Short mmCIF file of all heavy atoms in Angstrom, two decimals:
data_model
loop_
_atom_site.label_atom_id
_atom_site.label_comp_id
_atom_site.label_asym_id
_atom_site.label_seq_id
_atom_site.Cartn_x
_atom_site.Cartn_y
_atom_site.Cartn_z
N ALA A 1 -5.50 -7.08 -0.60
CA ALA A 1 -4.79 -7.55 0.59
C ALA A 1 -3.29 -7.58 0.28
O ALA A 1 -2.89 -7.78 -0.86
CB ALA A 1 -5.28 -8.92 1.00
N VAL A 2 -2.52 -7.38 1.30
CA VAL A 2 -1.06 -7.42 1.16
C VAL A 2 -0.49 -8.43 2.15
O VAL A 2 -1.07 -8.69 3.20
CB VAL A 2 -0.42 -6.03 1.39
CG1 VAL A 2 -0.83 -5.07 0.29
CG2 VAL A 2 -0.77 -5.45 2.74
N GLY A 3 0.64 -8.99 1.80
CA GLY A 3 1.31 -9.96 2.66
C GLY A 3 2.70 -9.49 3.04
O GLY A 3 3.18 -8.48 2.54
N SER A 4 3.31 -10.21 3.95
CA SER A 4 4.66 -9.94 4.45
C SER A 4 4.77 -8.63 5.22
O SER A 4 5.86 -8.09 5.40
CB SER A 4 5.68 -9.93 3.30
OG SER A 4 5.72 -11.20 2.70
N VAL A 5 3.65 -8.10 5.68
CA VAL A 5 3.66 -6.85 6.44
C VAL A 5 2.82 -6.97 7.72
O VAL A 5 2.56 -5.98 8.40
CB VAL A 5 3.17 -5.65 5.60
CG1 VAL A 5 4.14 -5.36 4.48
CG2 VAL A 5 1.78 -5.90 5.04
N ALA A 6 2.42 -8.18 8.05
CA ALA A 6 1.65 -8.48 9.25
C ALA A 6 1.70 -10.00 9.42
O ALA A 6 2.15 -10.71 8.52
CB ALA A 6 0.21 -7.99 9.10
N PRO A 7 1.25 -10.50 10.56
CA PRO A 7 1.30 -11.95 10.75
C PRO A 7 0.52 -12.74 9.68
O PRO A 7 0.87 -13.87 9.36
CB PRO A 7 0.68 -12.15 12.13
CG PRO A 7 0.94 -10.86 12.84
CD PRO A 7 0.84 -9.80 11.77
N THR A 8 -0.53 -12.15 9.15
CA THR A 8 -1.31 -12.76 8.07
C THR A 8 -1.57 -11.69 7.01
O THR A 8 -1.43 -10.49 7.30
CB THR A 8 -2.67 -13.28 8.59
OG1 THR A 8 -3.41 -12.19 9.11
CG2 THR A 8 -2.48 -14.35 9.66
N PRO A 9 -1.96 -12.06 5.81
CA PRO A 9 -2.31 -11.04 4.81
C PRO A 9 -3.41 -10.12 5.36
O PRO A 9 -4.32 -10.58 6.07
CB PRO A 9 -2.81 -11.85 3.62
CG PRO A 9 -2.09 -13.15 3.75
CD PRO A 9 -2.04 -13.41 5.23
N VAL A 10 -3.30 -8.85 5.06
CA VAL A 10 -4.27 -7.86 5.58
C VAL A 10 -4.77 -6.96 4.47
O VAL A 10 -4.07 -6.70 3.49
CB VAL A 10 -3.65 -6.98 6.70
CG1 VAL A 10 -3.32 -7.81 7.92
CG2 VAL A 10 -2.43 -6.24 6.21
N ARG A 11 -5.99 -6.49 4.65
CA ARG A 11 -6.52 -5.43 3.79
C ARG A 11 -5.96 -4.11 4.28
O ARG A 11 -5.40 -4.03 5.37
CB ARG A 11 -8.04 -5.42 3.84
CG ARG A 11 -8.64 -6.60 3.09
CD ARG A 11 -10.13 -6.57 3.09
NE ARG A 11 -10.63 -5.38 2.42
CZ ARG A 11 -11.91 -5.15 2.18
NH1 ARG A 11 -12.80 -6.03 2.56
NH2 ARG A 11 -12.30 -4.04 1.57
N LEU A 12 -6.16 -3.08 3.51
CA LEU A 12 -5.69 -1.74 3.85
C LEU A 12 -6.90 -0.82 4.02
O LEU A 12 -7.19 0.02 3.16
CB LEU A 12 -4.76 -1.22 2.76
CG LEU A 12 -3.55 -2.10 2.42
CD1 LEU A 12 -2.83 -1.57 1.20
CD2 LEU A 12 -2.63 -2.21 3.62
N PRO A 13 -7.64 -0.94 5.13
CA PRO A 13 -8.89 -0.19 5.27
C PRO A 13 -8.70 1.33 5.25
O PRO A 13 -9.52 2.04 4.66
CB PRO A 13 -9.47 -0.67 6.59
CG PRO A 13 -8.33 -1.25 7.34
CD PRO A 13 -7.37 -1.77 6.31
N GLY A 14 -7.66 1.83 5.85
CA GLY A 14 -7.41 3.27 5.83
C GLY A 14 -7.10 3.76 4.43
O GLY A 14 -7.57 4.81 4.00
N ALA A 15 -6.33 2.98 3.70
CA ALA A 15 -6.00 3.33 2.33
C ALA A 15 -7.24 3.25 1.44
O ALA A 15 -7.44 4.10 0.57
CB ALA A 15 -4.90 2.40 1.80
N GLU A 16 -8.07 2.25 1.68
CA GLU A 16 -9.30 2.12 0.90
C GLU A 16 -10.18 3.35 1.10
O GLU A 16 -10.69 3.92 0.13
CB GLU A 16 -10.05 0.86 1.30
CG GLU A 16 -9.33 -0.43 0.91
CD GLU A 16 -9.96 -1.67 1.52
OE1 GLU A 16 -11.09 -1.60 2.05
OE2 GLU A 16 -9.31 -2.73 1.46
N LEU A 17 -10.34 3.76 2.34
CA LEU A 17 -11.16 4.95 2.62
C LEU A 17 -10.54 6.22 2.05
O LEU A 17 -11.24 7.09 1.55
CB LEU A 17 -11.35 5.10 4.13
CG LEU A 17 -12.31 4.12 4.79
CD1 LEU A 17 -12.29 4.29 6.30
CD2 LEU A 17 -13.72 4.30 4.26
N ALA A 18 -9.23 6.31 2.11
CA ALA A 18 -8.54 7.49 1.62
C ALA A 18 -8.73 7.67 0.11
O ALA A 18 -8.71 8.79 -0.40
CB ALA A 18 -7.05 7.42 1.95
N ALA A 19 -8.93 6.57 -0.61
CA ALA A 19 -9.06 6.62 -2.06
C ALA A 19 -10.47 6.97 -2.53
O ALA A 19 -10.65 7.42 -3.67
CB ALA A 19 -8.65 5.28 -2.66
N LEU A 20 -11.45 6.78 -1.67
CA LEU A 20 -12.84 6.98 -2.09
C LEU A 20 -13.11 8.38 -2.62
O LEU A 20 -12.71 9.37 -2.01
CB LEU A 20 -13.79 6.71 -0.92
CG LEU A 20 -13.99 5.26 -0.52
CD1 LEU A 20 -14.90 5.16 0.69
CD2 LEU A 20 -14.53 4.45 -1.68
N GLY A 21 -13.77 8.44 -3.77
CA GLY A 21 -14.19 9.71 -4.34
C GLY A 21 -13.11 10.52 -5.00
O GLY A 21 -13.34 11.66 -5.38
N LYS A 22 -11.92 9.96 -5.14
CA LYS A 22 -10.81 10.70 -5.73
C LYS A 22 -10.50 10.19 -7.14
O LYS A 22 -10.74 9.03 -7.45
CB LYS A 22 -9.57 10.58 -4.86
CG LYS A 22 -9.71 11.26 -3.50
CD LYS A 22 -8.45 11.10 -2.70
CE LYS A 22 -8.49 11.87 -1.40
NZ LYS A 22 -9.47 11.40 -0.45
N LEU A 23 -9.95 11.06 -7.94
CA LEU A 23 -9.44 10.66 -9.24
C LEU A 23 -8.20 9.79 -9.03
O LEU A 23 -7.55 9.88 -7.98
CB LEU A 23 -9.11 11.88 -10.08
CG LEU A 23 -10.30 12.77 -10.45
CD1 LEU A 23 -9.84 14.04 -11.15
CD2 LEU A 23 -11.29 12.00 -11.31
N PRO A 24 -7.83 8.95 -10.01
CA PRO A 24 -6.75 7.99 -9.79
C PRO A 24 -5.44 8.57 -9.25
O PRO A 24 -4.86 8.01 -8.33
CB PRO A 24 -6.56 7.36 -11.17
CG PRO A 24 -7.92 7.42 -11.76
CD PRO A 24 -8.48 8.74 -11.30
N ARG A 25 -4.97 9.67 -9.78
CA ARG A 25 -3.68 10.21 -9.29
C ARG A 25 -3.80 10.71 -7.85
O ARG A 25 -2.90 10.50 -7.04
CB ARG A 25 -3.17 11.30 -10.21
CG ARG A 25 -2.74 10.72 -11.54
CD ARG A 25 -2.05 11.76 -12.40
NE ARG A 25 -1.79 11.22 -13.72
CZ ARG A 25 -0.70 10.53 -14.04
NH1 ARG A 25 0.23 10.31 -13.13
NH2 ARG A 25 -0.54 10.07 -15.26
N GLU A 26 -4.90 11.37 -7.55
CA GLU A 26 -5.15 11.80 -6.16
C GLU A 26 -5.30 10.60 -5.25
O GLU A 26 -4.79 10.58 -4.13
CB GLU A 26 -6.46 12.60 -6.08
CG GLU A 26 -6.34 14.07 -6.18
CD GLU A 26 -7.72 14.71 -6.01
OE1 GLU A 26 -8.72 14.03 -5.70
OE2 GLU A 26 -7.79 15.92 -6.21
N ALA A 27 -6.03 9.60 -5.72
CA ALA A 27 -6.25 8.39 -4.93
C ALA A 27 -4.94 7.67 -4.66
O ALA A 27 -4.71 7.19 -3.54
CB ALA A 27 -7.23 7.47 -5.64
N ALA A 28 -4.07 7.61 -5.65
CA ALA A 28 -2.78 6.93 -5.47
C ALA A 28 -1.95 7.61 -4.39
O ALA A 28 -1.35 6.95 -3.54
CB ALA A 28 -2.01 6.90 -6.79
N ALA A 29 -1.92 8.93 -4.40
CA ALA A 29 -1.17 9.66 -3.37
C ALA A 29 -1.79 9.44 -2.00
O ALA A 29 -1.07 9.24 -1.00
CB ALA A 29 -1.14 11.15 -3.71
N ALA A 30 -3.12 9.43 -1.92
CA ALA A 30 -3.80 9.21 -0.65
C ALA A 30 -3.55 7.80 -0.13
O ALA A 30 -3.33 7.60 1.08
CB ALA A 30 -5.29 9.47 -0.80
N VAL A 31 -3.56 6.83 -1.02
CA VAL A 31 -3.30 5.44 -0.64
C VAL A 31 -1.87 5.30 -0.13
O VAL A 31 -1.62 4.67 0.90
CB VAL A 31 -3.57 4.50 -1.84
CG1 VAL A 31 -2.95 3.15 -1.64
CG2 VAL A 31 -5.07 4.38 -2.06
N ALA A 32 -0.91 5.90 -0.82
CA ALA A 32 0.48 5.83 -0.39
C ALA A 32 0.66 6.43 1.00
O ALA A 32 1.40 5.89 1.83
CB ALA A 32 1.39 6.54 -1.39
N ALA A 33 -0.02 7.52 1.27
CA ALA A 33 0.09 8.17 2.58
C ALA A 33 -0.58 7.36 3.68
O ALA A 33 -0.10 7.33 4.82
CB ALA A 33 -0.51 9.58 2.52
N ALA A 34 -1.68 6.69 3.36
CA ALA A 34 -2.45 5.98 4.39
C ALA A 34 -1.96 4.56 4.65
O ALA A 34 -2.17 4.02 5.74
CB ALA A 34 -3.93 5.94 3.98
N THR A 35 -1.31 3.95 3.69
CA THR A 35 -0.93 2.54 3.79
C THR A 35 -0.05 2.22 5.01
O THR A 35 -0.32 1.24 5.70
CB THR A 35 -0.24 2.07 2.50
OG1 THR A 35 -1.22 2.08 1.46
CG2 THR A 35 0.34 0.69 2.62
N PRO A 36 0.98 3.00 5.34
CA PRO A 36 1.83 2.62 6.48
C PRO A 36 1.07 2.44 7.80
O PRO A 36 1.46 1.61 8.62
CB PRO A 36 2.84 3.76 6.56
CG PRO A 36 2.94 4.25 5.15
CD PRO A 36 1.53 4.15 4.62
N ALA A 37 -0.01 3.17 7.99
CA ALA A 37 -0.78 3.02 9.24
C ALA A 37 -1.59 1.74 9.26
O ALA A 37 -2.03 1.30 10.33
CB ALA A 37 -1.70 4.22 9.41
N ASP A 38 -1.80 1.13 8.10
CA ASP A 38 -2.62 -0.09 8.01
C ASP A 38 -1.82 -1.37 8.19
O ASP A 38 -2.41 -2.45 8.23
CB ASP A 38 -3.32 -0.15 6.66
CG ASP A 38 -4.49 0.80 6.53
OD1 ASP A 38 -5.04 1.22 7.56
OD2 ASP A 38 -4.85 1.13 5.38
N ILE A 39 -0.51 -1.28 8.24
CA ILE A 39 0.31 -2.49 8.29
C ILE A 39 1.18 -2.52 9.54
O ILE A 39 1.39 -1.49 10.18
CB ILE A 39 1.15 -2.63 7.01
CG1 ILE A 39 2.11 -1.45 6.83
CG2 ILE A 39 0.25 -2.78 5.79
CD1 ILE A 39 3.04 -1.58 5.63
N ALA A 40 1.67 -3.71 9.87
CA ALA A 40 2.53 -3.88 11.05
C ALA A 40 3.71 -4.78 10.68
O ALA A 40 3.83 -5.90 11.17
CB ALA A 40 1.72 -4.50 12.19
N PRO A 41 4.59 -4.29 9.81
CA PRO A 41 5.72 -5.12 9.40
C PRO A 41 6.74 -5.28 10.53
O PRO A 41 6.75 -4.51 11.49
CB PRO A 41 6.33 -4.34 8.24
CG PRO A 41 5.96 -2.93 8.51
CD PRO A 41 4.62 -2.98 9.18
N ILE A 42 7.56 -6.31 10.39
CA ILE A 42 8.61 -6.57 11.37
C ILE A 42 9.98 -6.45 10.69
O ILE A 42 10.09 -6.49 9.47
CB ILE A 42 8.47 -7.97 11.99
CG1 ILE A 42 8.58 -9.05 10.90
CG2 ILE A 42 7.16 -8.10 12.76
CD1 ILE A 42 8.76 -10.46 11.42
N ASP A 43 10.99 -6.30 11.52
CA ASP A 43 12.37 -6.40 11.05
C ASP A 43 12.75 -7.88 11.10
O ASP A 43 12.46 -8.56 12.08
CB ASP A 43 13.33 -5.63 11.97
CG ASP A 43 13.14 -4.13 11.90
OD1 ASP A 43 12.91 -3.60 10.81
OD2 ASP A 43 13.23 -3.48 12.96
N ASP A 44 13.35 -8.38 10.05
CA ASP A 44 13.90 -9.72 10.08
C ASP A 44 15.10 -9.79 9.14
O ASP A 44 15.53 -8.76 8.63
CB ASP A 44 12.83 -10.80 9.79
CG ASP A 44 12.28 -10.76 8.37
OD1 ASP A 44 12.89 -10.12 7.49
OD2 ASP A 44 11.23 -11.37 8.14
N VAL A 45 15.61 -10.99 8.90
CA VAL A 45 16.82 -11.12 8.09
C VAL A 45 16.60 -10.75 6.63
O VAL A 45 17.54 -10.44 5.92
CB VAL A 45 17.41 -12.55 8.18
CG1 VAL A 45 17.87 -12.85 9.60
CG2 VAL A 45 16.43 -13.59 7.69
N ARG A 46 15.35 -10.76 6.16
CA ARG A 46 15.06 -10.44 4.77
C ARG A 46 14.91 -8.95 4.52
O ARG A 46 15.17 -8.47 3.42
CB ARG A 46 13.79 -11.18 4.32
CG ARG A 46 13.97 -12.67 4.21
CD ARG A 46 12.65 -13.33 3.85
NE ARG A 46 12.50 -14.62 4.50
CZ ARG A 46 12.11 -14.82 5.74
NH1 ARG A 46 11.80 -13.82 6.52
NH2 ARG A 46 12.03 -16.03 6.24
N SER A 47 14.41 -8.21 5.51
CA SER A 47 14.13 -6.80 5.31
C SER A 47 13.81 -6.14 6.65
O SER A 47 13.46 -6.82 7.61
CB SER A 47 12.93 -6.65 4.37
OG SER A 47 12.64 -5.31 4.15
N ASN A 48 13.88 -4.81 6.68
CA ASN A 48 13.48 -4.12 7.90
C ASN A 48 12.07 -3.53 7.73
O ASN A 48 11.56 -3.40 6.62
CB ASN A 48 14.50 -3.07 8.33
CG ASN A 48 14.65 -1.96 7.33
OD1 ASN A 48 13.67 -1.40 6.85
ND2 ASN A 48 15.89 -1.61 7.01
N ALA A 49 11.45 -3.18 8.83
CA ALA A 49 10.07 -2.71 8.82
C ALA A 49 9.90 -1.42 8.02
O ALA A 49 8.91 -1.27 7.29
CB ALA A 49 9.57 -2.52 10.25
N ALA A 50 10.84 -0.51 8.12
CA ALA A 50 10.74 0.76 7.39
C ALA A 50 10.73 0.52 5.89
O ALA A 50 9.94 1.13 5.16
CB ALA A 50 11.89 1.69 7.77
N TYR A 51 11.59 -0.37 5.42
CA TYR A 51 11.62 -0.70 3.99
C TYR A 51 10.29 -1.32 3.55
O TYR A 51 9.74 -0.96 2.52
CB TYR A 51 12.78 -1.66 3.71
CG TYR A 51 12.82 -2.13 2.28
CD1 TYR A 51 13.34 -1.32 1.28
CD2 TYR A 51 12.33 -3.39 1.93
CE1 TYR A 51 13.37 -1.75 -0.04
CE2 TYR A 51 12.35 -3.82 0.62
CZ TYR A 51 12.88 -3.00 -0.36
OH TYR A 51 12.90 -3.43 -1.66
N ARG A 52 9.77 -2.23 4.35
CA ARG A 52 8.49 -2.87 3.99
C ARG A 52 7.35 -1.86 3.95
O ARG A 52 6.48 -1.94 3.08
CB ARG A 52 8.17 -3.98 4.98
CG ARG A 52 9.09 -5.16 4.86
CD ARG A 52 8.84 -6.17 5.97
NE ARG A 52 9.94 -7.07 6.09
CZ ARG A 52 9.87 -8.39 5.98
NH1 ARG A 52 8.73 -8.96 5.74
NH2 ARG A 52 10.94 -9.12 6.12
N ARG A 53 7.35 -0.89 4.86
CA ARG A 53 6.33 0.17 4.83
C ARG A 53 6.42 0.98 3.54
O ARG A 53 5.43 1.24 2.87
CB ARG A 53 6.47 1.11 6.03
CG ARG A 53 5.80 0.62 7.27
CD ARG A 53 5.81 1.71 8.36
NE ARG A 53 5.81 1.05 9.64
CZ ARG A 53 6.89 0.69 10.33
NH1 ARG A 53 8.09 1.01 9.89
NH2 ARG A 53 6.77 0.06 11.47
N GLU A 54 7.62 1.38 3.19
CA GLU A 54 7.84 2.20 1.99
C GLU A 54 7.45 1.44 0.73
O GLU A 54 6.75 1.97 -0.14
CB GLU A 54 9.30 2.65 1.92
CG GLU A 54 9.63 3.50 0.72
CD GLU A 54 8.94 4.86 0.72
OE1 GLU A 54 8.63 5.38 1.80
OE2 GLU A 54 8.69 5.38 -0.38
N VAL A 55 7.90 0.22 0.61
CA VAL A 55 7.61 -0.57 -0.59
C VAL A 55 6.12 -0.86 -0.69
O VAL A 55 5.52 -0.75 -1.77
CB VAL A 55 8.43 -1.87 -0.61
CG1 VAL A 55 7.93 -2.83 -1.67
CG2 VAL A 55 9.90 -1.55 -0.82
N THR A 56 5.49 -1.21 0.40
CA THR A 56 4.05 -1.50 0.37
C THR A 56 3.26 -0.26 -0.03
O THR A 56 2.32 -0.36 -0.84
CB THR A 56 3.58 -2.03 1.73
OG1 THR A 56 4.36 -3.19 2.08
CG2 THR A 56 2.11 -2.42 1.70
N ALA A 57 3.62 0.90 0.49
CA ALA A 57 2.93 2.14 0.12
C ALA A 57 3.10 2.42 -1.37
O ALA A 57 2.13 2.77 -2.07
CB ALA A 57 3.46 3.30 0.95
N ARG A 58 4.30 2.25 -1.89
CA ARG A 58 4.54 2.50 -3.32
C ARG A 58 3.80 1.50 -4.20
O ARG A 58 3.23 1.87 -5.23
CB ARG A 58 6.03 2.47 -3.62
CG ARG A 58 6.76 3.67 -3.09
CD ARG A 58 8.21 3.59 -3.43
NE ARG A 58 8.93 4.69 -2.80
CZ ARG A 58 9.92 5.33 -3.39
NH1 ARG A 58 10.31 4.99 -4.60
NH2 ARG A 58 10.53 6.30 -2.76
N LEU A 59 3.82 0.24 -3.80
CA LEU A 59 3.12 -0.77 -4.60
C LEU A 59 1.61 -0.54 -4.59
O LEU A 59 0.95 -0.71 -5.61
CB LEU A 59 3.45 -2.17 -4.10
CG LEU A 59 4.86 -2.66 -4.41
CD1 LEU A 59 5.11 -4.01 -3.72
CD2 LEU A 59 5.08 -2.78 -5.90
N ALA A 60 1.06 -0.17 -3.46
CA ALA A 60 -0.38 0.11 -3.38
C ALA A 60 -0.73 1.29 -4.28
O ALA A 60 -1.73 1.26 -5.00
CB ALA A 60 -0.79 0.38 -1.94
N ALA A 61 0.10 2.32 -4.28
CA ALA A 61 -0.14 3.48 -5.14
C ALA A 61 -0.04 3.09 -6.61
O ALA A 61 -0.86 3.50 -7.43
CB ALA A 61 0.84 4.59 -4.81
N ARG A 62 0.94 2.28 -6.96
CA ARG A 62 1.09 1.83 -8.35
C ARG A 62 -0.10 0.99 -8.78
O ARG A 62 -0.56 1.07 -9.93
CB ARG A 62 2.39 1.04 -8.52
CG ARG A 62 3.62 1.93 -8.49
CD ARG A 62 4.88 1.16 -8.58
NE ARG A 62 5.02 0.56 -9.90
CZ ARG A 62 6.04 -0.20 -10.25
NH1 ARG A 62 7.01 -0.46 -9.39
NH2 ARG A 62 6.11 -0.71 -11.45
N PHE A 63 -0.64 0.19 -7.86
CA PHE A 63 -1.83 -0.59 -8.17
C PHE A 63 -2.99 0.34 -8.53
O PHE A 63 -3.68 0.12 -9.53
CB PHE A 63 -2.20 -1.48 -6.98
CG PHE A 63 -3.49 -2.20 -7.18
CD1 PHE A 63 -3.56 -3.34 -7.96
CD2 PHE A 63 -4.66 -1.73 -6.60
CE1 PHE A 63 -4.76 -4.01 -8.16
CE2 PHE A 63 -5.87 -2.38 -6.79
CZ PHE A 63 -5.92 -3.53 -7.57
N VAL A 64 -3.18 1.38 -7.73
CA VAL A 64 -4.27 2.33 -8.00
C VAL A 64 -4.06 2.99 -9.36
O VAL A 64 -5.00 3.13 -10.15
CB VAL A 64 -4.39 3.37 -6.87
CG1 VAL A 64 -5.36 4.48 -7.24
CG2 VAL A 64 -4.81 2.70 -5.58
N LEU A 65 -2.85 3.42 -9.65
CA LEU A 65 -2.57 4.05 -10.94
C LEU A 65 -2.80 3.05 -12.09
O LEU A 65 -3.24 3.44 -13.16
CB LEU A 65 -1.15 4.58 -10.99
CG LEU A 65 -0.90 5.82 -10.14
CD1 LEU A 65 0.59 6.15 -10.13
CD2 LEU A 65 -1.73 6.99 -10.62
N GLY A 66 -2.53 1.80 -11.86
CA GLY A 66 -2.77 0.78 -12.87
C GLY A 66 -4.24 0.61 -13.18
O GLY A 66 -4.62 0.26 -14.30
N LEU A 67 -5.09 0.86 -12.21
CA LEU A 67 -6.53 0.78 -12.44
C LEU A 67 -6.98 1.81 -13.47
O LEU A 67 -7.89 1.57 -14.24
CB LEU A 67 -7.30 0.99 -11.14
CG LEU A 67 -7.13 -0.09 -10.08
CD1 LEU A 67 -7.83 0.32 -8.80
CD2 LEU A 67 -7.63 -1.43 -10.58
N GLU A 68 -6.31 2.96 -13.47
CA GLU A 68 -6.64 4.02 -14.43
C GLU A 68 -6.45 3.53 -15.86
O GLU A 68 -7.29 3.78 -16.73
CB GLU A 68 -5.78 5.25 -14.16
CG GLU A 68 -6.04 6.40 -15.09
CD GLU A 68 -5.17 7.60 -14.79
OE1 GLU A 68 -4.02 7.44 -14.36
OE2 GLU A 68 -5.66 8.71 -14.98
N SER A 69 -5.37 2.82 -16.11
CA SER A 69 -5.09 2.39 -17.47
C SER A 69 -5.98 1.22 -17.90
O SER A 69 -6.12 0.97 -19.09
CB SER A 69 -3.61 2.02 -17.62
OG SER A 69 -3.31 0.90 -16.83
N THR A 70 -6.57 0.51 -16.97
CA THR A 70 -7.43 -0.61 -17.33
C THR A 70 -8.91 -0.24 -17.37
O THR A 70 -9.73 -1.04 -17.78
CB THR A 70 -7.25 -1.79 -16.36
OG1 THR A 70 -7.62 -1.38 -15.04
CG2 THR A 70 -5.83 -2.30 -16.37
N SER A 71 -9.25 0.98 -16.95
CA SER A 71 -10.66 1.35 -16.87
C SER A 71 -11.20 1.93 -18.18
O SER A 71 -12.39 2.12 -18.32
CB SER A 71 -10.89 2.36 -15.74
OG SER A 71 -10.24 3.58 -16.03
N GLY A 72 -10.33 2.25 -19.12
CA GLY A 72 -10.78 2.92 -20.33
C GLY A 72 -10.93 2.00 -21.46
O GLY A 72 -11.57 1.94 -22.37
#
């Protein structure tokens, strides 16, 4: 689940589906591409919605890549 990109913390169902059956590097790219459609960030004084989409996609992809290093 991710926070600060919707009124409440949300899961990333599209990103989860996009990662299924893929190797970690492929899955990370698929997650990064799918994540922006799963969130509804707002513009406010702390950040704008475009920045939150980009950062959330990158962090989700990094999380997936991190799973690769912990699985062995």
Side-chain angles (χ1 to χ4, degrees):
V2 294
S4 298
V5 294
T8 61
V10 294
R11 287 182 62 174
L12 304 172
E16 292 170 13
L17 287 174
L20 286 178
K22 293 180 175 66
L23 296 174
R25 290 188 187 273
E26 266 183 7
V31 164
T35 293
D38 285 338
I39 61 176
I42 61 167
D43 291 322
D44 66 16
V45 296
R46 290 176 216 81
S47 180
N48 63 48
Y51 175 79
R52 291 174 197 237
R53 276 189 209 90
E54 180 66 28
V55 168
T56 304
R58 287 180 186 218
L59 288 174
R62 286 177 69 181
F63 174 79
V64 171
L65 289 173
L67 294 174
E68 180 180 33
S69 65
T70 61
S71 66

